[in-house]
């Protein structure tokens, strides 16, 4: 059995300041995207991504509310032509039932209460439609955004974003200095240690993650991963979290109490190594900078290894089975055991690959 390495200290500055976090199912559903552009090697029965897109409502005690990502805009036909063509060429099925703005309004959260919308990155399944929020809501993007994507469509017919996304509102680009959280460059948004933006490049220009402190004694944090990874198999197992010999809850039986033997998955491990993620990011495919994206994944692994950190990627379709989604709150994740309950659920995607090895 592989020996787990002790997880590194992320050296998060101490603080009594916290925020409240709600995980929003944006109702975006995207299906039919081949995984070979995002991860390798291929695993039998898992050839396509069929996923939701999560947003996060971050509520500061001062009533300075933030949204981290918006999912897909509801009026898909009003994306910029570059994005509309990309969706058509890919042959993907994309649906949205209700916008984030409407969900907020329906649950007594006024759109005017949102100080800023933070885009983890500029990809269409995260940007939503900021124009549905009042001009008082700032739009925040990561390093290099303005240089690479402004002006938006229609001034630049090839731009993936629209001028209406930022028109008549402040467009702020984050600059990271020497503050560190783990090996991430960090930005203390409120200046009190309650919420950090993390520089996490590689997947896309300006990609950022978020880290929210939701309790102070003991401290616990929600890590908003954006597209730093697209599937749990990209950052699990790791040298800090080897594939266990007994997996509970059983990912192959919905909410099953009988443990699943980890040995079932040994044949599909990379190099048969229980400390190596099932997947890695392939060269020259979806990632803007493959090597940088792989380094970001390594940093995610370090955060994921901490029991006080709940890592949520934007497209993790297992999250909704475990957490209390909006309008519920996610602050009590540690007390409710969400980290352990969700950690290995992604293994269900490999059921066909291990079908012949199932043990009674």
């Amino acid at each position: 059995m592989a020996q787990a390495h002790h997880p590194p200290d992320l050296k998060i500055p101490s603080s009594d300041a916290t925020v409240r976090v709600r995980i929003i199912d944006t109702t975006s559903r995207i299906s039919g995207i081949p995984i070979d552009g995002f991860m390798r090697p291929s695993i039998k029965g898992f050839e396509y991504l069929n996923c939701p897109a999560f947003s996060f409502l971050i509520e500061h005690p001062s009533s300075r509310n933030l949204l981290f990502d918006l999912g897909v805009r509801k009026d898909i036909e009003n994306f910029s032509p570059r994005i509309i063509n990309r969706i058509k060429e890919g042959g993907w099925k994309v649906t949205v039932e209700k916008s984030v703005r409407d969900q907020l309004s329906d649950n007594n959260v006024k759109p005017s209460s949102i100080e800023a919308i933070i885009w983890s990155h500029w990809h269409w399944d995260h940007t939503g439609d900021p124009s549905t929020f009042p001009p008082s809501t700032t739009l925040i993007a990561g390093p290099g955004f303005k240089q690479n994507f402004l002006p938006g469509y229609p001034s630049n017919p090839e731009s993936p974003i629209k001028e209406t996304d930022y028109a008549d509102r402040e467009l702020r680009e984050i600059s990271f200095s020497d503050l560190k959280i783990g090996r991430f460059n960090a930005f203390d948004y409120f200046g009190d240690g309650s919420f950090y933006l993390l520089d996490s490049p590689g997947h896309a220009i300006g990609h950022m993650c978020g880290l929210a402190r939701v309790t102070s004694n003991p401290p616990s944090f929600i890590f908003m991963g954006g597209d730093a990874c697209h599937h749990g198999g990209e950052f699990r197992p790791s040298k800090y979290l080897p594939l266990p010999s007994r997996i509970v809850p059983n990912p192959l039986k919905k909410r099953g109490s009988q443990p699943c033997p980890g040995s079932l998955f040994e044949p599909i491990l990379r190099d048969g190594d229980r400390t190596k993620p099932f997947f890695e990011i392939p060269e020259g495919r979806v990632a803007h900078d493959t090597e940088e994206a792989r380094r970001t994944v390594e940093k995610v692994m370090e955060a994921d290894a901490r029991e006080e950190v709940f890592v949520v990627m934007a497209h993790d379709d297992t999250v909704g089975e475990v957490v209390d989604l909006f309008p519920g709150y996610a602050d009590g994740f540690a007390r409710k055991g969400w980290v352990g309950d969700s950690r290995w659920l992604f293994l269900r995607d490999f059921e066909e690959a291990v079908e012949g090895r199932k043990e009674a």
Side-chain angles (χ1 to χ4, degrees):
M1 181 65 184
Q3 183 67 37
H5 290 230
H6 188 71
D9 184 354
L10 301 180
K11 296 187 170 152
I12 304 172
S14 61
S15 173
D16 292 329
T18 61
V19 291
R20 304 206 71 188
V21 172
R22 300 202 249 184
I23 303 172
I24 303 173
D25 179 353
T26 66
T27 72
S28 307
R29 293 295 181 271
I30 310 161
S31 60
I33 300 181
I35 69 158
D36 58 5
F38 295 86
M39 57 197 89
R40 69 178 187 192
S42 61
I43 293 179
K44 181 182 178 182
F46 183 55
E47 288 88 22
Y48 297 94
L49 286 172
N50 300 299
C51 53
F54 292 107
S55 168
F56 300 83
L57 175 62
I58 301 143
E59 300 174 346
H60 191 266
S62 65
S63 299
R64 296 172 62 190
N65 297 336
L66 308 174
L67 282 169
F68 187 89
D69 279 344
L70 293 176
V72 181
R73 66 184 296 153
K74 191 173 189 304
D75 54 340
I76 298 168
E77 67 279 4
N78 284 325
F79 273 119
S80 70
R82 173 177 164 179
I83 299 304
I84 292 173
N85 291 337
R86 182 80 178 97
I87 294 172
K88 287 180 178 178
E89 290 168 4
W92 310 324
K93 182 179 179 181
V94 183
T95 60
V96 185
E97 292 181 12
K98 183 177 285 189
S99 70
V100 169
R101 184 201 183 283
D102 287 345
Q103 289 195 59
L104 295 179
S105 296
D106 289 349
N107 289 279
N108 301 312
V109 179
K110 295 180 179 179
S112 60
S113 73
I114 305 301
E115 173 178 295
I117 294 165
I118 299 164
W119 280 350
S120 65
H121 61 301
W122 57 271
H123 288 172
W124 58 272
D125 50 332
H126 297 259
T127 55
D129 185 3
S131 73
T132 60
F133 290 82
S136 57
T137 300
T138 299
L139 180 61
I140 296 177
F145 176 84
K146 291 182 178 181
Q147 178 180 345
N148 286 276
F149 303 112
L150 295 189
Y153 174 86
S155 291
N156 176 5
E158 297 301 315
S159 179
I161 67 163
K162 299 180 71 173
E163 288 180 304
T164 54
D165 291 336
Y166 57 86
D168 302 320
R169 74 181 69 248
E170 179 186 4
L171 174 57
R172 179 181 177 191
E173 185 175 292
I174 297 296
S175 295
F176 292 93
S177 56
D178 56 358
L179 176 63
K180 292 277 190 179
I181 300 291
R183 292 190 290 133
F184 290 102
N185 292 326
F187 177 81
D188 186 347
Y189 183 88
F190 293 110
D192 60 7
S194 63
F195 180 69
Y196 298 94
L197 290 171
L198 308 178
D199 189 20
S200 46
H203 173 67
I205 292 171
H207 189 283
M208 300 185 293
C209 297
L211 185 71
R213 187 191 309 266
V214 293
T215 62
S216 60
N217 186 24
S220 62
F221 304 86
I222 294 177
F223 183 102
M224 305 164 194
D227 278 359
C229 301
H230 291 80
H231 188 268
E234 283 184 87
F235 59 102
R236 298 179 189 133
S238 70
K239 63 183 179 181
Y240 312 111
L241 293 171
L243 182 71
S245 58
R246 298 169 70 256
I247 304 169
V248 180
N250 190 328
L252 303 184
K253 295 179 180 179
K254 193 168 184 179
R255 311 307 289 170
S257 58
Q258 192 71 19
C260 174
S263 58
L264 282 181
F265 302 95
E266 287 179 350
I268 58 174
L269 286 166
R270 280 194 298 139
D271 305 323
D273 191 340
R274 282 175 171 260
T275 68
K276 187 179 287 188
F278 288 92
F279 299 115
E280 68 175 352
I281 298 170
E283 295 277 359
R285 300 301 298 273
V286 170
H288 169 71
D289 183 328
T290 305
E291 288 308 310
E292 196 69 73
R294 289 175 177 174
R295 283 191 286 271
T296 287
V297 173
E298 291 173 359
K299 298 171 191 177
V300 170
M301 289 180 193
E302 295 174 1
D304 186 54
R306 307 293 310 192
E307 290 296 325
E308 71 273 20
V309 179
F310 183 35
V311 174
V312 183
M313 295 296 164
H315 302 305
D316 183 353
D317 66 353
T318 66
V319 167
E321 299 175 21
V322 175
V323 309
D324 298 328
L325 291 168
F326 180 82
Y329 283 88
D331 310 343
F333 76 85
R335 172 174 47 83
K336 295 178 180 179
W338 291 352
V339 171
D341 286 350
S342 64
R343 179 170 283 155
W344 300 106
L345 287 185
F346 72 87
L347 292 172
R348 70 181 183 188
D349 290 332
F350 308 148
E351 183 168 14
E352 184 176 337
V354 303
E355 188 68 37
R357 293 177 51 85
K358 283 186 183 178
E359 299 178 19

